[in-house]
Structure formats: C-alpha cells, structure tokens
Amino acid sequence: MSLPTTRTARLATWSSNLTYSTLPDPAIQRTKDLFLDWLGCTIAGRSHPAVTAIVKFVKAMGPTSGKSELVDGQLEFTTSAAFAALVNGAASHVVEQDDLHNGSITHPATVIFPAALAVAQDVGADGKDFITACVVGYEVGCRVGAYFGKSHYENFHSTATAGTLGVAAAAAHLLKLNPEETLSAIGTAGTQAAGLWQFLLDASHSKQVHTGKACSDGIFAAYTARDGLLGTKDILEGPRGMGNALVPGKTKPEAIDGDLGADFEVLRSSFKWHASCRHTHPSVDALLALMGKHAVAFGDIESVLVPTYQAALNVLGMSGTCETVHQSKFSMGFVLAVAAKKGQAMITDFTEEDLKDSQLREFQGRVRMVLDEEIEAAFPARWMGRVIVKTKDGRELEERVGFAKGDPEVTLTRDELETKMRSLARYGGITDGNKVEALIQRAWNLENETDLHGFVF
Amino acid sequence: MSLPTTRTARLATWSSNLTYSTLPDPAIQRTKDLFLDWLGCTIAGRSHPAVTAIVKFVKAMGPTSGKSELVDGQLEFTTSAAFAALVNGAASHVVEQDDLHNGSITHPATVIFPAALAVAQDVGADGKDFITACVVGYEVGCRVGAYFGKSHYENFHSTATAGTLGVAAAAAHLLKLNPEETLSAIGTAGTQAAGLWQFLLDASHSKQVHTGKACSDGIFAAYTARDGLLGTKDILEGPRGMGNALVPGKTKPEAIDGDLGADFEVLRSSFKWHASCRHTHPSVDALLALMGKHAVAFGDIESVLVPTYQAALNVLGMSGTCETVHQSKFSMGFVLAVAAKKGQAMITDFTEEDLKDSQLREFQGRVRMVLDEEIEAAFPARWMGRVIVKTKDGRELEERVGFAKGDPEVTLTRDELETKMRSLARYGGITDGNKVEALIQRAWNLENETDLHGFVF
C-alpha cells in the first residue's frame, strides 16, 4: 500500500514518526500537567449513574481481568484496554473540570488520556512512550476539531467526533503502527465518529457515552488497522468523508497539516478553574474582576448583560430551567449567580441545595446573554469575556477579559494544579491523602516511569 | 420518568409493547425467511480480512467464553453478546447478498439478526421472543431510515446509522425494557450512530465496521438503558438531534410513527438474487429480460444505456475502475457485463479471473448510466429498471421492469431461499450438507425453538 498525498496522510505520517527525543520540554511538561488534571477529573466523576451503568455493561460484556485498569480502584477488577478506556473516558467528563482546547472547541484529555493509558498498560509502554502517544493524540484530535470548526460544534459534541480520530492516532502510536496503518486507523475512527448535543436539552447522559465511546471506538480502529482492516484513506477531505458530510462548505483544511511539528496542540489547551461549562468562564472571570475592582457585592447587582460569542449562546441556551446540578453548570445565569454569591465557582459550589436557593434563582433570571460581534470574530482562537452590570444604586459598570484563567496565556501553576487535584480527589471520596500525593509525584515524574500500571485511587 | 408525546416516544412505546401473539402469520413467516437468508450471508462472508481483523480484536478485548456464539463455529470460541454481534454483523454484510428494505435504503438483516441472536442467546430467549424482537428491530430501523430518506443516503451508509437504533429497539425488547427505557436505548443508539460512504472510493473495509459496530453500539445502548443510563428523549426530531444534524430540512417525520402496527416493515424488505450491489438489480433484470425476449447474445451488444435513479448514480459512480471483486459488484458496467455473458450474476460469478477478462472489461466500457426522472421520482418506494441496448447489427431495443426479482411484490420462494442458502454455505466453505439442511429446518421451525444456541456452521 502506498500513501496518498493528502493532508490526512501527512498528518498520519507525522503521527507515526514522532519520537520522544524530538519533543520540546514544554510539551512534555504540559502533557504531565494535563495528565494529572485528567486523573483528578476521572476520580471525581466516577459515581455518576452513567458511569455506573457503563461499568455494569463492562462486567456483562467484557473480561473482568486484564492488563488495563480502572482509575476507580474500588471497583476491584481489571479488564481489556477498550473497556478500561470506555469507563475511564466516561468518568473523566462528568464534573466539567477537564481541559478545553480553545481552537478546536474540544476537551482532549477526557478522550486521549483514558485511551492512551489503557493501551499503554496493554502493550507495556513506558512513560516516554505514553507521553509521546498523548502528544500525538492531542495533535490529531485538536487539528481535526479545528478542521471541523465552530459550525460543526453547533450540532456535534466535537470532543467525541474529532476525539475518536485523536484516540486512534494515539493508540496507533503505542502499537507502533507505520504511517499506512496509522492512516487506516484514522479512517476507521472517522467513519465511526458520532455525538450530538441533543442530550443537553433533557439532561440525559449521552455526554459520558460520547467520551467513553470515542475511546473504545478509536482503540478498535487502531487494533483492527494493525490486524489488516483497511480504513478509508481520506476520511476528512474525501467527497463522502466527514468534512462534506458533517460540515459542508465550512471546513478549514489547512488546520489538518499546517505547520506540523512547529508547535504542539498540547500547549494550546486550557485548564478549567471554575467547575462550570467552559463557555461561562470568560464571563465569570470578567464578573469577578468587576466585583473586585468596584467593590460590588452579590446583593448590589440589579442585572448582568453578557455579550458573548454564538457557540456560548447555542450551548448555554439549551439547558432550560436547569433542574439538575449538571444542567446548572450550563446556565450562564446560574453560574454567574454562584460566582457572584460565593466568590468562586468550584466543584463544591454546585449542589442540590444551591438549586433551591431563591437568591441564586432570582439572580439567574436577571442575567441575559447577547451576541458580541467582536468576541464572536475572535472565537474560538480567543475566548474573551465581557459583562455589563447594572447595580441597584444605578451604576452601569463594564469589564472585559482577554483570556480566561487557565488559558494557555495564563495557565495554572503546578501548585494550583495540585490544589485542584486534591479538591477533585476529595470530591471523589478519596480519604487517603498520602495516596493522592504519591500519584501527584508519579505524574510529575511520568517520563521516568517504566510501567504505567497503578494509577488507581 | 414520564414519556414525551413525540413521534419517537410513540415508536418506542409500540416497540416495547409488541407481543408475538399479535403478529400476523405473514410477518412471522417472512422473518424466518429473512433469518435463513442472513445465516447464509454470514457464513459466506466469514473469511473477509475485515472479519478476520475484528475476530482478532474480539479475542484481544473480549471474553473468549460466554453465552453468545459466532455463526462461524470453526473459530471455536464463544463470547459476550456485544462481541458476537460485532463479528456476525461484520461477516453478514460481506458478500452483498443480504436483504434490502427499499423504502429506507437499508439492509436490515445484517444488523438486526446478529444483534438479536446474540442478545437472545445471552438472556435465554425462545424462538417467539426472538421473532418478535426482530420484527421490532426491522420496524424501528426501517422507519428511521425512511425518516432520513434518500438525501441522508448520499453520504451515509443508512444501514449503519438507522440500523443502530433498530438494533437498540430489538435488544431492548429482548431485555424486556419498558417504553421509557426503550426510548432511552433509542436515544443512546442515535447519538452513537455513524457510517460514511467514503470507503467505497478506495475499496477499504469500513462496510463491515459499520454493520458490526451498529450491532455492538445498539446492544450497548439497550443494556446501559436497562442499567440506568438515560438516553436523550427526542434523538430524531429534536433541535440538536439526528434529523437536523444529519439530514437538515429533508426528513420525513411521518415515517417515524405513521400507521404503526397496520403493516410490518419485515414484509417490505427485498431478497437479493444477484450477488451485486442492489442498485444494479433492476437493470440486470431488465437486461436479462431484454436478451431473452429478443434473443440477443453477449457478443451481439454494442452498448447499453441505463436510465436510473440518482442514488444508483451516486453509489455506482464511486468504484472507479473496480480493481477488486468487491468493487466490481458496485460497477454497473461490470455487473451488466457479467450478467450478459453468464446469464446470471450469482456469488460464484464474480472472481479474480473475471476481473482480468478483457471481454467483460470491454463491455463494461460500453455501459453508460443516465438519470431517469420518472424512475427517480418513484425511488425509493419502487426500484425500477430500464435498459436501452444498441446491437452490433444496428437495432435499438428497450426493456423496463417495475420490480427487481426478490422485491416484496415478487419475493423469493422457500425453494429459492434454500437454493440460495446452499450456494452461500458452499461459498463459505461448508462441506457438511446435512448440517446445512438441519439449520434450514430449524429456521423454518423457529417459532418452536426453546433455545437459540447452535446456529453455528
């Protein structure tokens, strides 16, 4: 088989050929930051009913002993790579604290790490192999997401669609597939890729299905490519491929292979500091900055106008009255209410009690979003925030932020990441602080690990 | 949870409530016909490299003992329902001999039977349960496919997209899910549904991925719905659902629930008699009729003009020079050449030798398709055929057929189905004729089976 001269083939070739020794240190360090952040998210989300249902499926359909581990060690079984990734991928996207790659509007960690960890455990990869595969997974998943662009994101959960291809590339790297086989894996991944936003409208559990299945589907694509199943060679740009079928006329082809290797997408992902939908973060930051600067308290605020970008209007407009804790994190009004009242919007700040808080609910009703053409034009390259507050004493105040806390330009420090990790572990019910500290240290020394088993709480 | 008053909820409720005792006898008998036809296709396709790769994946990732069986008994292992269905679903769509439901342009058997058989074996269902679940699966899958319509089919392999929902409904019925849970299963199925035609352009193996994954994804949806995972409630017609995302502005909503129970989609599926893509069949029938009526021989034909419908132009125009046996079944020119030369186009009539036959290749080059507005308007409700032949002695002859052999209006007899079954089993390498005859008799008595294990060659 010879390689075609398509953009997708160039991306597959680059992915297959990437080696640890050529990675710049910042990419290595950031990958470790992202991995630790993902571990915390996974343990924090493990008790969600969708995860529980998927665990039952794994017990019914999969082996209950194998080389790959569930991060939730209390489940006390191991399984195969596809099933471990299915569970860990579902768990890590529950608490809305996982990273967000701005340019592609995807959450790469929740698909790349669970899949790469499960495959690394399956094939006995070391820390350097794992880091390299994760860099590949981020690169492919984020570039595909950027190729699809924000138009795709209107209906599709891009983390799942683009993510499946990223998973396939990461798994292919760990399986040491050559460029042709990697291209096959990407093709087979793309023709399985799915995930629609419809679930947001009724607070159902598809979000966990999307990330879990992106993991297992991408792993399926890589293993079967190794074993001779031919994937189509131009799944992105071909006439019946993903671009034409899913984003007709609105793709960005140069995103697929432009400046390959010149920079790394792992360096362009944002950590979440607030526990809500990422589309609320720039506005939360702007509101908190405004309240600090002008000494405005929660009770002083009459109304908040939030000029923002279209994707925020689309996604945040779907949660209706936000009857569940999960939906409440997707309500701009409710999230700003929480932030204004509590001075923060961390994971412990969204509870069933809060849903019944009439002060929060009234504030929620006084928040309105509108489209801001300037912010829309900059999105998704930049996620800017703006709020206009009317106070009860008649003032009109305005604040803007150019980035959200956790964006690549203002990334989290390792101290902040450790703080967030401890908080997520506590939220996940982990009481053994020593174990958490030991896992933190393993993450910081990931490149020296010879065996990737034991990342289990 | 209360049920919404959507079309999809009505379909889910009907699916959950259907009982064997209310099925008309023709629907029961036809389901058995379709099941036998599927068994033959499965064994005929078992040696395809895609199936081999998927079997390796199952051995690596799944249990190698379980309640569900592979139709290819020579593999000598059993596994869980999801994995057995994955393999059997992939195998049954290889040889292009499986059924075709005209109105939805889907191949229901290749997704419904493997999934329902695997789940039936898992839960210990009997023949009546199995038949009822298959009727449900056909109904949901075909109605969803008809809702998407021929516009969806331009880019998507509808068998996979609509089929995933049909599988979920069939599996839900066997798991005895209530209407709310069945609706959940359909929602979770729909948000996983995928499958693009791009693979046809480079003769890669995604077709087997699509049908196998439709089976395992639909099974995932049903089992997780049973265990508390909430699927979205309006995956078809919701604002971010499949209709708006995948077929914007071109769906047929009344197909979802119009006249539910008044008739059965199993009665509207067509058997394949020729071994080529179903889109070639009306033209093959017309050509063979013309050659018989006018005593025209293969060597007499100067050229063939084939007025046909748009979907045939789209799908049959993608196979390029048809370098593989599989591609050759998707070339109108090559298929008509084979039929004209051999007087038939059975599974043994497409070989590597035939690809090198210069007479066939020359004939292929003298076949041209054009759009026929009248045939297009009737499609997909009717699949009509028309050919205009110029002979070397200067005659111009024309023939039309209103249906293809195997269509519901001219369905295959049980004798013909048995003949086809024996031929498929021989093609699949089965030499024990007694075993084949025993399986045929089991299929004809399916409603009396108390245990569905042992449909193994």
Side-chain angles (χ1 to χ4, degrees):
Chain A
M1 184 165 63
S2 66
L3 269 174
T5 57
T6 59
R7 292 178 188 274
T8 308
R10 280 195 286 278
L11 181 60
T13 302
W14 180 90
S15 301
S16 174
N17 291 338
L18 189 70
T19 58
Y20 182 82
S21 62
T22 61
L23 291 179
D25 190 60
I28 294 168
Q29 299 306 323
R30 187 64 61 80
T31 303
K32 290 152 57 180
D33 295 351
L34 291 162
F35 174 66
L36 181 71
D37 198 55
W38 169 77
L39 264 185
C41 292
T42 310
I43 203 64
R46 64 180 177 163
S47 302
H48 189 278
V51 181
T52 304
I54 291 172
V55 167
K56 285 183 183 170
F57 179 79
V58 169
K59 282 187 173 173
M61 298 294 172
T64 48
S65 75
K67 291 183 185 170
S68 299
E69 298 171 340
L70 306 180
V71 169
D72 182 357
Q74 294 183 10
L75 292 167
E76 289 180 345
F77 69 96
T78 53
T79 185
S80 62
F83 280 128
L86 177 69
V87 173
N88 292 334
S92 60
H93 205 38
V94 167
V95 295
E96 303 293 336
Q97 287 275 273
D98 48 322
D99 75 328
L100 184 281
H101 179 269
N102 299 17
S104 60
I105 332 179
T106 65
H107 302 279
T110 191
V111 291
I112 302 304
F113 287 118
L117 183 62
V119 174
Q121 291 171 341
D122 189 35
V123 302
D126 65 17
K128 292 184 173 67
D129 292 339
F130 176 69
I131 290 170
T132 314
C134 293
V135 170
V136 163
Y138 263 73
E139 200 70 24
V140 172
C142 295
R143 283 175 173 272
V144 171
Y147 166 67
F148 293 156
K150 55 188 176 185
S151 161
H152 177 69
Y153 185 76
E154 287 172 18
N155 288 316
F156 292 91
H157 187 185
S158 309
T159 299
T161 53
T164 306
L165 287 80
V167 166
H173 200 274
L174 285 162
L175 293 174
K176 303 189 190 304
L177 301 194
N178 65 30
E180 289 82 356
E181 292 162 338
T182 300
L183 185 61
S184 244
I186 288 172
T188 297
T191 204
Q192 297 176 81
L196 295 164
W197 283 125
Q198 179 62 27
F199 74 91
L200 273 186
L201 281 85
D202 51 20
S204 49
H205 298 155
S206 310
K207 201 168 199 189
Q208 283 66 53
V209 172
H210 294 167
T211 54
K213 285 293 307 310
C215 290
S216 55
D217 291 349
I219 288 174
F220 172 88
Y223 278 75
T224 53
R226 178 190 67 181
D227 292 331
L229 191 150
L230 300 179
T232 186
K233 293 176 186 171
D234 201 8
I235 192 64
L236 294 177
E237 296 190 278
R240 296 292 194 284
M242 298 181 83
N244 280 339
L246 305 178
V247 212
K250 295 185 178 172
T251 55
K252 294 184 188 166
E254 69 280 8
I256 299 172
D257 66 338
D259 290 329
L260 260 178
D263 200 354
F264 290 88
E265 298 302 330
V266 281
L267 294 168
R268 296 200 178 108
S269 206
S270 303
F271 295 99
K272 277 189 175 176
W273 186 242
H274 312 303
S276 52
C277 173
R278 191 54 163 62
H279 294 306
T280 66
H281 289 209
S283 313
V284 171
D285 288 336
L287 181 62
L288 291 176
L290 180 148
M291 292 173 71
K293 191 186 285 183
H294 300 283
V296 173
F298 176 66
D300 300 335
I301 295 175
E302 175 64 35
S303 67
V304 187
L305 182 68
V306 186
T308 186
Y309 47 87
Q310 187 62 47
L313 297 178
N314 293 348
V315 173
L316 302 174
M318 275 188 276
S319 300
T321 53
C322 70
E323 292 166 19
T324 69
V325 169
H326 183 260
Q327 280 180 313
S328 77
K329 297 174 181 173
F330 282 80
S331 159
M332 179 68 87
F334 196 83
V335 170
L336 290 189
V338 166
K341 184 172 183 186
K342 306 189 183 193
Q344 63 178 27
M346 306 298 283
I347 192 163
T348 47
D349 296 316
F350 294 87
T351 67
E352 293 290 338
E353 284 305 302
D354 292 311
L355 292 179
K356 297 174 205 145
D357 181 333
S358 61
Q359 288 187 320
L360 292 176
R361 289 301 197 173
E362 280 163 26
F363 191 105
Q364 176 188 2
R366 290 181 271 121
V367 173
R368 192 163 61 86
M369 294 187 286
V370 291
L371 183 67
D372 183 309
E373 295 294 351
E374 182 192 341
I375 292 176
E376 167 66 10
F379 181 85
R382 285 183 65 180
W383 294 44
M384 299 193 292
R386 184 180 170 205
V387 291
I388 299 164
V389 169
K390 284 193 180 162
T391 62
K392 289 178 177 165
D393 60 8
R395 286 177 290 166
E396 180 167 309
L397 305 168
E398 176 168 350
E399 186 65 39
R400 292 164 180 262
V401 296
F403 308 101
K405 180 176 172 72
D407 264 341
E409 296 81 359
V410 283
T411 193
L412 300 187
T413 65
R414 289 219 160 156
D415 275 354
E416 288 172 329
L417 287 165
E418 291 185 6
T419 298
K420 183 179 167 189
M421 171 68 173
R422 292 181 196 112
S423 151
L424 289 167
R426 269 198 308 277
Y427 182 86
I430 304 301
T431 52
D432 183 352
N434 289 335
K435 192 158 194 181
V436 177
E437 298 309 314
L439 288 171
I440 290 173
Q441 291 313 312
R442 276 192 80 183
W444 296 157
N445 292 291
L446 195 58
E447 68 271 39
N448 300 316
E449 292 282 338
T450 54
D451 182 309
L452 290 171
H453 288 86
F455 282 102
V456 168
F457 287 80
Chain B
M1 183 164 63
S2 65
L3 269 175
T5 56
T6 58
R7 292 178 187 275
T8 308
R10 279 194 287 278
L11 181 60
T13 302
W14 180 89
S15 299
S16 174
N17 292 337
L18 189 70
T19 59
Y20 182 82
S21 62
T22 61
L23 292 179
D25 190 60
I28 294 169
Q29 299 307 323
R30 187 67 60 81
T31 303
K32 291 151 58 178
D33 295 350
L34 291 161
F35 174 66
L36 181 72
D37 197 54
W38 169 78
L39 265 184
C41 291
T42 310
I43 204 64
R46 64 181 178 162
S47 302
H48 189 278
V51 181
T52 304
I54 291 172
V55 167
K56 286 183 182 171
F57 179 78
V58 170
K59 282 188 173 174
M61 297 296 171
T64 48
S65 74
K67 291 183 186 168
S68 299
E69 298 170 340
L70 306 180
V71 168
D72 181 358
Q74 293 183 10
L75 293 167
E76 288 179 349
F77 69 97
T78 55
T79 185
S80 61
F83 281 127
L86 177 68
V87 172
N88 292 335
S92 59
H93 205 38
V94 166
V95 295
E96 304 294 337
Q97 287 275 273
D98 47 321
D99 75 327
L100 184 283
H101 178 270
N102 299 17
S104 60
I105 332 179
T106 65
H107 301 279
T110 189
V111 292
I112 302 304
F113 288 118
L117 182 62
V119 174
Q121 291 172 341
D122 189 34
V123 302
D126 65 17
K128 292 184 173 67
D129 294 339
F130 176 69
I131 289 171
T132 315
C134 293
V135 170
V136 163
Y138 264 72
E139 200 72 23
V140 172
C142 295
R143 283 175 174 270
V144 171
Y147 166 67
F148 293 157
K150 57 188 176 185
S151 160
H152 177 69
Y153 185 76
E154 286 173 17
N155 287 317
F156 292 90
H157 186 184
S158 309
T159 299
T161 54
T164 305
L165 288 81
V167 166
H173 199 275
L174 286 162
L175 294 174
K176 303 189 189 304
L177 301 194
N178 65 30
E180 290 82 356
E181 294 163 336
T182 300
L183 184 60
S184 246
I186 289 171
T188 297
T191 204
Q192 297 176 79
L196 295 164
W197 282 125
Q198 179 62 27
F199 75 90
L200 274 186
L201 281 84
D202 50 20
S204 48
H205 297 154
S206 309
K207 199 166 200 189
Q208 283 66 56
V209 172
H210 295 167
T211 53
K213 285 294 305 310
C215 291
S216 55
D217 291 349
I219 288 174
F220 171 88
Y223 279 75
T224 54
R226 179 190 68 182
D227 292 331
L229 192 149
L230 300 179
T232 187
K233 294 175 187 172
D234 201 8
I235 192 64
L236 293 177
E237 296 189 279
R240 297 292 193 284
M242 299 180 84
N244 280 338
L246 305 179
V247 211
K250 295 185 177 171
T251 55
K252 293 184 189 165
E254 69 280 7
I256 299 171
D257 66 339
D259 289 330
L260 260 178
D263 201 354
F264 289 89
E265 298 302 330
V266 282
L267 294 168
R268 296 199 178 108
S269 206
S270 302
F271 296 98
K272 278 189 175 177
W273 186 242
H274 311 304
S276 52
C277 174
R278 191 55 163 60
H279 294 306
T280 65
H281 290 207
S283 313
V284 170
D285 288 336
L287 182 61
L288 291 176
L290 180 147
M291 291 173 72
K293 192 186 287 184
H294 300 283
V296 173
F298 176 67
D300 299 335
I301 296 175
E302 175 64 36
S303 68
V304 186
L305 182 67
V306 186
T308 186
Y309 48 88
Q310 187 63 46
L313 296 178
N314 293 348
V315 172
L316 302 174
M318 278 188 274
S319 300
T321 53
C322 70
E323 292 166 17
T324 68
V325 169
H326 182 261
Q327 280 181 314
S328 76
K329 297 174 182 173
F330 282 80
S331 160
M332 180 68 87
F334 196 82
V335 170
L336 291 189
V338 166
K341 184 172 181 187
K342 306 189 181 192
Q344 62 178 29
M346 305 300 281
I347 193 162
T348 46
D349 294 316
F350 293 88
T351 66
E352 293 291 338
E353 284 306 301
D354 292 311
L355 293 178
K356 297 174 204 145
D357 180 333
S358 61
Q359 287 186 321
L360 292 175
R361 291 300 197 174
E362 279 164 27
F363 191 105
Q364 175 188 2
R366 289 181 271 122
V367 174
R368 191 162 63 86
M369 293 186 288
V370 292
L371 183 67
D372 182 308
E373 296 294 350
E374 181 192 342
I375 292 176
E376 168 65 9
F379 182 84
R382 285 183 65 180
W383 294 44
M384 299 192 291
R386 183 180 170 205
V387 291
I388 300 165
V389 168
K390 284 193 179 161
T391 61
K392 289 178 178 166
D393 60 10
R395 287 177 290 165
E396 181 168 307
L397 307 167
E398 176 169 350
E399 186 66 37
R400 292 165 180 263
V401 295
F403 307 100
K405 180 176 173 72
D407 264 341
E409 296 80 359
V410 282
T411 192
L412 300 187
T413 64
R414 289 216 160 159
D415 274 353
E416 286 171 331
L417 287 165
E418 291 186 8
T419 299
K420 183 179 167 189
M421 171 69 173
R422 292 180 195 113
S423 151
L424 289 167
R426 268 197 309 278
Y427 182 85
I430 304 301
T431 51
D432 183 351
N434 289 336
K435 192 159 195 180
V436 176
E437 298 309 314
L439 287 170
I440 289 173
Q441 291 314 312
R442 276 194 79 184
W444 295 156
N445 291 291
L446 195 58
E447 68 272 39
N448 300 317
E449 291 282 337
T450 55
D451 182 309
L452 290 171
H453 289 86
F455 282 102
V456 168
F457 287 80

